[in-house]
Amino acid sequence: MNFGHWNIGSTLKNWFLAHQISGYINKHGIDLVHANEHWVGPHSNWGSRIAGVPSICQFRTGLEDLTRHRIRKYRYAHFDRVLPVAEVLRQALVKHLPEPGKVIVVRDGVKACENQSPSWA
């Protein structure tokens, strides 16, 4: 599927894409949609809603991407869960979302260690 920009100028294209995604979800019996990057998130969420299945979105970019505009643009509040890869990202996200309980940290590759130096140090 050809994911494009999520903006007002692409509304018709995004509507068709969401329906394509919904058809794919239904055809393959998908139970959960996981948007791995925020720029495919709105399309994926919209398609999952049409198909009647839950959706989650991973957030794994830097704090500089956490602006009110970007959070609204990529529709984080509309997902069933938002999965930032670090606690610092969760803390920044929850300030801007009406349901902070939807934001759950799922670490990406580095295990958190309390009061320990990493083994390579």
Side-chain angles (χ1 to χ4, degrees):
M1 292 178 202
N2 186 14
F3 285 81
H5 293 285
W6 182 261
N7 57 41
I8 195 73
S10 302
T11 301
L12 188 59
K13 181 180 176 187
N14 291 335
W15 185 85
F16 281 114
L17 179 58
H19 282 274
Q20 261 188 302
I21 293 168
S22 175
Y24 187 89
I25 291 167
N26 290 328
K27 179 180 178 181
H28 295 283
I30 294 170
D31 296 324
L32 174 69
V33 173
H34 174 207
N36 191 41
E37 295 290 351
H38 57 257
W39 56 82
V40 300
H43 310 86
S44 302
N45 180 262
W46 201 3
S48 74
R49 292 297 178 247
I50 294 167
V53 301
S55 63
I56 60 177
C57 184
Q58 187 171 5
F59 188 88
R60 58 187 178 144
T61 59
L63 285 171
E64 68 278 358
D65 287 337
L66 281 175
T67 63
R68 285 184 196 273
H69 170 75
R70 190 165 290 221
I71 290 168
R72 270 194 322 274
K73 178 179 180 179
Y74 293 116
R75 304 176 53 82
Y76 287 109
H78 298 272
F79 286 92
D80 294 290
R81 294 284 187 272
V82 179
L83 309 175
V85 298
E87 180 61 28
V88 67
L89 294 173
R90 186 195 70 77
Q91 289 174 8
L93 272 166
V94 298
K95 294 175 188 174
H96 304 289
L97 298 178
E99 296 180 62
K102 289 182 173 185
V103 184
I104 300 169
V105 175
V106 176
R107 299 199 187 280
D108 190 15
V110 179
K111 183 178 177 183
C113 298
E114 289 186 24
N115 301 324
Q116 288 183 322
S117 296
S119 60
W120 66 83

